[in-house]
Amino acid sequence: MSLFSIYLLFVKYGLLSFGGGYVLVMLFIHDLVDKYKLLTSGEFANLLAIAQMTPGPIGINTATYVGYQTNGIAGGIIATIGLLTPAVFLVLAAAFSFRKWEKSIIVQGMLYGMRPATLGLIISAVLIFANIAIFITPLTAANVKLWLAGSPEAGKFGIRFIPLVISIISAVIMAKYKKINIIYIIGSAAVLGACFIR
């Protein structure tokens, strides 16, 4: 994939990343894994884990990684710039016009409508993380039908117990201790994974 194509691809992601980087996970899987085959499912799962452990938003970390994988250092820089380009222009436009449009019923309606869509995208990202980290075979509609029919084509249904426990404990800690540094949780989970998950 050329540098220009990488740039345009990540400009598209930059335009669609309302609500944060996690809303892009579905797009990343659709484009980077399924359509362009720039990453395998396993590589994408590892990328998500690394992107969460390293400083910076998940979208920028993904752009830098994918750009570097496809076109070296120049690709990493171009992909990152592509992701940030729409944000720069949108923030500048918002800064200049916010006072003028903040009371607009249409603008308020647009923002009100975007919130549930963003929530839906984040929930889909959670399901993707669950498929990658917790379920032995991806929990998809097609696989559920095959499991219910007793077909061996779906593979064995099962849940990885230790990752499930780690995710539940992490969620409980984050809900109870809101000021805890997330680095401690990620680091502890990494140690548990190294010790118990093979």
Side-chain angles (χ1 to χ4, degrees):
M1 184 173 274
S2 70
L3 286 174
F4 186 63
S5 298
I6 285 285
Y7 175 78
L8 289 181
L9 183 63
F10 280 92
V11 165
K12 178 182 85 170
Y13 296 146
L15 285 169
L16 298 174
S17 61
F18 292 99
Y22 289 106
V23 303
L24 293 175
V25 172
M26 287 294 291
L27 283 172
F28 287 156
I29 288 177
H30 178 267
D31 288 352
L32 304 178
V33 176
D34 297 333
K35 187 175 180 182
Y36 298 112
K37 312 288 185 192
L38 298 177
L39 299 169
T40 65
S41 296
E43 287 172 336
F44 183 72
N46 292 336
L47 169 61
L48 287 179
I50 292 168
Q52 291 171 79
M53 287 174 25
T54 53
I58 190 170
I60 291 177
N61 292 342
T62 302
T64 306
Y65 179 85
V66 172
Y68 179 79
Q69 287 292 98
T70 55
N71 293 89
I73 293 173
I77 293 169
I78 292 296
T80 304
I81 290 171
L83 187 74
L84 294 174
T85 299
V88 170
F89 287 105
L90 288 171
V91 167
L92 288 173
F96 283 112
S97 60
F98 183 73
R99 293 291 178 197
K100 180 179 178 182
W101 297 103
E102 67 176 329
K103 305 265 190 223
S104 167
I105 294 173
I106 293 173
V107 171
Q108 293 299 319
M110 289 171 63
L111 293 172
Y112 187 77
M114 286 167 55
R115 288 175 197 146
T118 300
L119 175 64
L121 290 170
I122 292 171
I123 290 170
S124 71
V126 169
L127 294 175
I128 290 167
F129 281 120
N131 274 335
I132 291 169
I134 294 173
F135 294 104
I136 292 170
T137 305
L139 187 64
T140 62
N143 279 345
V144 169
K145 287 180 185 176
L146 291 171
W147 286 322
L148 292 175
S151 173
E153 294 175 28
K156 182 182 177 184
F157 175 76
I159 293 173
R160 296 181 178 98
F161 179 72
I162 293 173
L164 177 63
V165 170
I166 290 172
S167 66
I168 291 170
I169 291 171
S170 300
V172 169
I173 290 171
M174 287 298 294
K176 190 169 182 180
Y177 306 102
K178 298 191 186 328
K179 293 185 179 179
I180 192 168
N181 192 327
I182 195 169
I183 296 297
Y184 297 138
I185 294 175
I186 293 173
S188 301
V191 170
L192 288 172
C195 293
F196 298 109
I197 301 173
R198 294 286 184 267

